[in-house]
């Protein structure tokens, strides 16, 4: 009689809260120190889910071996990334060739800005040049730091993609072994629920990533049309950059808009304000039409936790963490909605449900029960 099952043991709230906080801190610390491995691992998992139908098609329909189908999928991914790198390299080479002309245009625009500041704010040229010289001194003092940061960022990016390619090969090649491992760590009575959850995560994340690619294409096309009509230089480069940065909610579109406005102003364009308005319109169309239709609402995360996820992702894994935070929250939302006791966490991550029907009214009776009013 002294023995009792674990289900009958109820820990105090303070103790349960302490265990949860300790677990969160431990997982966060492990994610921080394991950035070099965990970030490319998670990225490769997403890419493996995206290319899994292609690998299955090669194995089942064309009778390819597991190794050939895996490396064929890797080749497709490398071709796509190589094409993207080649595009940016070609566009940046044109930018470098036009740099002397751009420098002259920037100088002219800067002189015009000086006249405007002097005329409207009554700040003479000496004071303006004094402020600029102070800023330049600080910039030159930090040049060595900027160079070190650039070199380290380039090397870390190359290491990220190298590890991602290796993890991608291993995950696709050993995907059935990994599936059996996940199934085997749960009890037999939970097999149906675990198997359903794995398939649901695979399906929704595949649709989510595919939708993101379509969203990138749509936003890039809309931005290219806007900038081409307004006559902004490097319209294609800015459009593709906007589409890629738009994957980062809220922050990406703001950053790309600032770059487009800066180039429009520096190249002597008179449509900087129209560029700003155009970006606002594109963001409105993307948020209210493209995102719900293409990406879907099944893994939609509300704005509060999206922003929190972006901040935590940047703090833990840097720029890559900002890109990977939203898919990670989407996977957490799917898991939370299917695990007993974690459903409230899944609901709080999503959007507030819309009630099409009027809510039922309840009254409290003498027996302290809730009964529906007739």
């Amino acid at each position: 009689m002294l023995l009792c099952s674990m289900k009958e043991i109820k820990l105090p709230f303070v103790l349960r809260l302490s265990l949860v906080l300790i677990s969160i801190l431990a997982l966060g610390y492990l994610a921080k120190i394991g950035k070099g491995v965990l970030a490319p691992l998670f990225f490769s998992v997403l890419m493996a889910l995206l290319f899994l139908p292609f690998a299955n098609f090669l194995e089942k329909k064309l009778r390819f071996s597991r190794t050939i189908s895996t490396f064929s999928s890797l080749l497709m991914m490398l071709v796509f990334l190589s094409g993207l790198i080649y595009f940016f390299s070609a566009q940046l080479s044109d930018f470098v060739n036009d740099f002397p002309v751009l420098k002259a245009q920037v100088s002219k625009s800067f002189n015009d800005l000086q006249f405007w500041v002097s005329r409207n704010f009554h700040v003479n040229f000496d004071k303006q040049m004094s402020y600029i010289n102070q800023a330049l001194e600080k910039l030159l003092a930090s040049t060595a730091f900027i160079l070190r940061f650039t070199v380290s960022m380039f090397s870390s990016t190359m290491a990220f993609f190298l590890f991602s390619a290796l993890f991608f090969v291993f995950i696709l090649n050993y995907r059935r072994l990994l599936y059996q491992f996940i199934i085997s760590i749960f009890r037999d009575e939970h097999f149906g629920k675990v198997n359903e959850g794995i398939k649901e995560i695979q399906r929704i994340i595949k649709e989510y990533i595919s939708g993101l690619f379509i969203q990138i294409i749509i936003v890039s096309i809309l931005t290219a049309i806007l900038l081409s009509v307004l006559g902004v230089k490097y319209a294609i480069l800015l459009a593709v950059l906007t589409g890629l940065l738009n994957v980062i909610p809220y922050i990406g579109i703001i950053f790309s808009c600032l770059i487009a406005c800066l180039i429009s102003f520096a190249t002597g364009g008179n449509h900087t304000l129209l560029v700003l308005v155009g970006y606002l319109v594109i963001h409105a169309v993307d948020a209210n039409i493209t995102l719900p239709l293409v990406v879907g609402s099944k893994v939609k995360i509300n704005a509060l936790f999206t922003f929190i996820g972006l901040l935590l992702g940047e703090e833990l894994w840097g720029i890559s963490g900002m890109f990977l935070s939203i898919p990670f929250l989407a996977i957490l939302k799917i898991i939370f909605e299917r695990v007993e006791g974690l459903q409230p966490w899944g609901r709080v991550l999503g959007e507030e449900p819309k009630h099409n029907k009027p809510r039922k009214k309840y009254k409290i009776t003498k027996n302290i029960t809730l009964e529906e009013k007739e």
Side-chain angles (χ1 to χ4, degrees):
M1 296 176 63
L2 296 177
L3 298 177
C4 60
S5 63
M6 294 299 295
K7 294 183 178 179
E8 297 176 350
I9 299 177
K10 294 184 178 180
L11 299 177
F13 172 75
V14 176
L15 181 57
R16 285 188 282 119
L17 179 62
S18 302
L19 293 175
V20 170
L21 292 177
I22 292 173
S23 300
I24 293 175
L25 290 175
L27 291 175
Y29 178 73
L30 292 176
K32 182 69 174 179
I33 63 176
K35 169 187 173 182
V37 175
L38 295 179
L41 175 61
F42 185 67
F43 176 76
S44 61
V45 169
L46 297 179
M47 291 296 101
L49 290 175
L50 183 63
F51 282 90
L52 183 59
F54 176 72
N56 288 332
F57 171 79
L58 294 179
E59 293 180 19
K60 295 178 180 178
K61 300 296 182 180
L62 302 182
R63 303 298 181 181
F64 283 8
S65 65
R66 176 68 56 82
T67 303
I68 296 177
S69 66
T70 298
F71 279 96
S72 299
S73 302
L74 176 64
L75 181 61
M76 279 194 63
M77 186 178 70
L78 292 179
V79 167
F80 172 76
L81 293 177
S82 300
L84 194 62
I85 293 173
Y86 174 78
F87 168 78
F88 276 105
S89 300
Q91 293 292 321
L92 288 175
S93 64
D94 295 338
F95 180 81
V96 172
N97 294 331
D98 294 340
F99 188 76
V101 179
L102 180 63
K103 184 178 179 181
Q105 291 174 338
V106 170
S107 178
K108 180 180 179 301
S109 300
F110 179 71
N111 291 331
D112 294 340
L113 179 62
Q114 279 187 305
F115 281 111
W116 182 81
V117 170
S118 177
R119 183 175 65 253
N120 291 276
F121 297 97
H122 306 289
V123 179
N124 57 39
F125 292 111
D126 293 335
K127 288 186 178 180
Q128 293 184 40
M129 294 307 298
S130 176
Y131 297 148
I132 295 172
N133 289 332
Q134 292 177 5
L136 287 176
E137 289 178 0
K138 293 180 180 179
L139 179 63
L140 292 175
S142 60
T143 301
F145 171 76
I146 294 174
L147 291 175
R148 288 196 301 269
F149 175 78
T150 303
V151 172
S152 63
M153 184 176 179
F154 177 77
S155 60
S156 62
T157 302
M158 295 300 296
F160 177 87
F161 284 110
L162 177 61
F163 284 129
S164 297
L166 293 175
F167 284 135
F168 178 83
V169 171
F170 293 144
I171 291 173
L172 273 185
N173 199 45
Y174 296 106
R175 58 183 183 271
R176 288 194 177 90
L177 181 63
L178 295 175
Y179 171 78
Q180 292 296 332
F181 167 74
I182 296 175
I183 292 296
S184 62
I185 61 178
F186 294 94
R187 295 180 180 178
D188 294 338
E189 58 265 25
H190 300 305
F191 171 78
K193 185 180 294 186
V194 174
N195 187 55
E196 178 190 356
I198 293 175
K199 291 183 177 179
E200 188 71 8
I201 290 175
Q202 176 183 335
R203 183 183 66 83
I204 292 183
I205 292 301
K206 181 183 65 177
E207 295 177 357
Y208 179 74
I209 298 175
S210 303
L212 283 183
F213 278 109
I214 298 174
Q215 182 191 18
I216 290 172
I217 294 173
I218 293 175
V219 172
S220 299
I221 293 175
L222 292 176
T223 308
I225 294 173
L226 169 70
L227 298 180
S228 300
V229 170
L230 295 178
V232 179
K233 297 192 69 173
Y234 317 111
I236 303 300
L237 174 63
L238 293 174
V240 176
L241 184 64
T242 300
L244 293 175
L245 290 178
N246 192 59
V247 175
I248 305 176
Y250 311 114
I251 299 176
I253 192 69
I254 294 175
F255 186 70
S256 58
C257 178
L258 291 177
I259 295 176
C261 291
L262 179 61
I263 291 182
S264 175
F265 174 77
T267 53
N270 299 321
H271 306 295
T272 305
L273 184 59
L274 292 178
V275 171
L276 176 61
V277 175
Y279 265 79
L280 292 177
V281 173
I282 291 174
H283 177 63
V285 171
D286 174 61
N288 296 285
I289 299 178
T290 306
L291 188 63
L293 292 179
V294 177
V295 179
S297 59
K298 291 186 177 180
V299 292
K300 191 174 182 181
I301 311 298
N302 62 59
L304 173 62
F305 284 93
T306 296
F307 189 67
I308 293 175
L310 291 175
L311 294 179
L312 292 177
E314 196 281 331
E315 179 66 26
L316 292 175
W317 293 350
I319 301 298
S320 60
M322 298 180 72
F323 281 96
L324 298 174
S325 60
I326 306 304
F328 180 76
L329 288 177
I331 293 177
L332 283 183
K333 182 174 181 290
I334 297 171
I335 295 174
F336 288 163
E337 289 175 345
R338 283 159 179 78
V339 176
E340 184 179 355
L342 297 179
Q343 287 90 349
W345 292 96
R347 287 193 293 269
V348 78
L349 287 175
E351 294 286 348
E352 184 177 0
K354 297 180 180 179
H355 298 279
N356 297 325
K357 298 181 180 180
R359 294 183 179 181
K360 297 179 180 180
K361 297 182 180 180
Y362 297 89
K363 66 178 181 179
I364 300 177
T365 63
K366 293 181 181 180
N367 295 327
I368 318 298
T369 59
L370 294 177
E371 296 181 357
E372 182 180 352
K373 281 186 177 181
E374 298 295 336

